[in-house]
Amino acid sequence: MKRLFLLIAFPLVLSMSARCVLAQKEMQLDEALLKNSKPMIAKPKGIGTVTKYQFGPYKIASGKEGLATTTSKSRIFSAYSESKSKRKLSFVFVKDERDSVVVNVSINTDISELDATMSIGFSMINSIKENFIAIFSLPSDTTTWRMMIGSVAGAGVKNGDNFNGVLTNGNTIIEIRDVDQWNTGKKASFGLSIGQVFHMQDESIAAVQASADTFVKKTVWIREGIDPRLQLILAAASAALMVRSEQVMD
């Protein structure tokens, strides 16, 4: 999938100066969330199959990768090729070495490519379809939270890119919205995703800047004053979205 990222975002990484400028930006958030939260910069610690991000009092303590499969096919006399991949991974997420969450992730991706080597020198992505599911289990609680995201992007997608996401325990429903705009008011190049915002009853309660561009700092905001257990789940969901952003680079 590294080639996939380069095909979509190659112009973003042509110069080191452009990278440095981009790294200083932050995603656009509403004033209420900015005033009632503190940005937590996520720093990767150690090397492993799952990056051990740490931010504020939270961190990914351990992780492992499960089943991973990839299949590809090309149509005869057609410029289009298709590939499908399935991945599973899990990690343990903790707060202050006390509260913990076990997170199990499943990622299914379908990619359609157009071979344009004769005209522009490399393949183009026609569409990318993704189904992302994360299940959060708290040892001290029987309640299970699920995060489900479906997205479609690419040059061949009608009406632009589509993103639908939700985080729920069956009673509480939190909508997840994709963000492709900087706090300067400018759109991200090529409409690439910068991060996601969590909305509950039309109020933003958390956000994660989790761009696939490694030169953009990963950052988490969680609204102060909400239930501590919900804060833990939002932090774990933010960590899962950081892990998700890395999959385009694998």
Side-chain angles (χ1 to χ4, degrees):
M1 294 286 282
K2 286 182 179 178
R3 182 169 61 89
L4 170 59
F5 177 75
L6 292 175
L7 295 182
I8 297 176
F10 179 74
L12 293 179
V13 293
L14 290 179
S15 68
M16 182 62 74
S17 60
R19 292 168 177 169
C20 293
V21 171
L22 188 61
Q24 304 305 313
K25 298 179 181 178
E26 287 185 350
M27 61 191 283
Q28 187 178 63
L29 299 172
D30 64 53
E31 288 299 320
L33 181 58
L34 288 173
K35 290 180 179 179
N36 293 282
S37 64
K38 296 178 181 178
M40 295 179 283
I41 305 298
K43 298 179 179 179
K45 300 290 184 180
I47 300 174
T49 55
V50 177
T51 302
K52 297 178 181 178
Y53 286 107
Q54 294 185 13
F55 52 95
Y58 307 100
K59 70 177 182 180
I60 294 178
S62 62
K64 62 180 180 180
E65 189 166 4
L67 178 67
T69 61
T70 300
T71 58
S72 301
K73 67 177 182 179
S74 299
R75 301 174 187 174
I76 300 177
F77 306 117
S78 173
Y80 287 96
S81 62
E82 298 177 356
S83 63
K84 299 178 182 289
S85 66
K86 297 182 179 181
R87 300 186 66 178
K88 291 187 177 181
L89 54 89
S90 62
F91 61 87
V92 176
F93 186 77
V94 300
K95 176 185 179 183
D96 293 327
E97 305 294 347
R98 297 194 306 270
D99 298 323
S100 65
V101 183
V102 177
V103 185
N104 289 285
V105 174
S106 175
I107 309 169
N108 295 335
T109 308
D110 294 352
I111 303 169
S112 171
E113 292 184 66
L114 172 63
D115 186 359
T117 54
M118 296 297 292
S119 57
I120 60 176
F122 52 81
S123 299
M124 293 181 63
I125 301 301
N126 183 56
S127 68
I128 307 171
K129 299 179 181 179
E130 177 202 24
N131 288 313
F132 178 92
I133 299 174
I135 300 175
F136 307 88
S137 303
L138 289 78
S140 59
D141 195 339
T142 57
T143 302
T144 298
W145 285 81
R146 289 176 171 82
M147 179 167 62
M148 295 157 284
I149 291 174
S151 65
V152 183
V157 179
K158 295 181 179 179
N159 301 320
D161 299 348
N162 298 294
F163 180 99
N164 293 286
V166 66
L167 173 66
T168 181
N169 63 356
N171 295 314
T172 301
I173 298 176
I174 299 172
E175 181 187 1
I176 305 171
R177 301 176 188 174
D178 206 36
V179 177
D180 63 356
Q181 188 165 321
W182 299 106
N183 58 4
T184 59
K186 293 184 178 181
K187 288 271 190 178
S189 299
F190 304 99
L192 294 177
S193 172
I194 303 170
Q196 291 77 37
V197 179
F198 298 87
H199 286 260
M200 186 168 66
Q201 298 178 348
D202 290 327
E203 181 179 57
S204 57
I205 57 174
V208 54
Q209 183 168 285
S211 170
D213 187 342
T214 56
F215 289 90
V216 176
K217 291 182 179 179
K218 289 178 169 58
T219 310
V220 178
W221 296 261
I222 298 178
R223 192 180 185 94
E224 298 174 347
I226 62 176
D227 181 75
R229 186 69 67 177
L230 180 56
Q231 287 184 339
L232 177 62
I233 291 297
L234 290 167
S238 297
L241 289 173
M242 291 182 202
V243 172
R244 169 182 176 263
S245 73
E246 292 185 341
Q247 304 312 305
V248 249
M249 296 295 290
D250 287 348

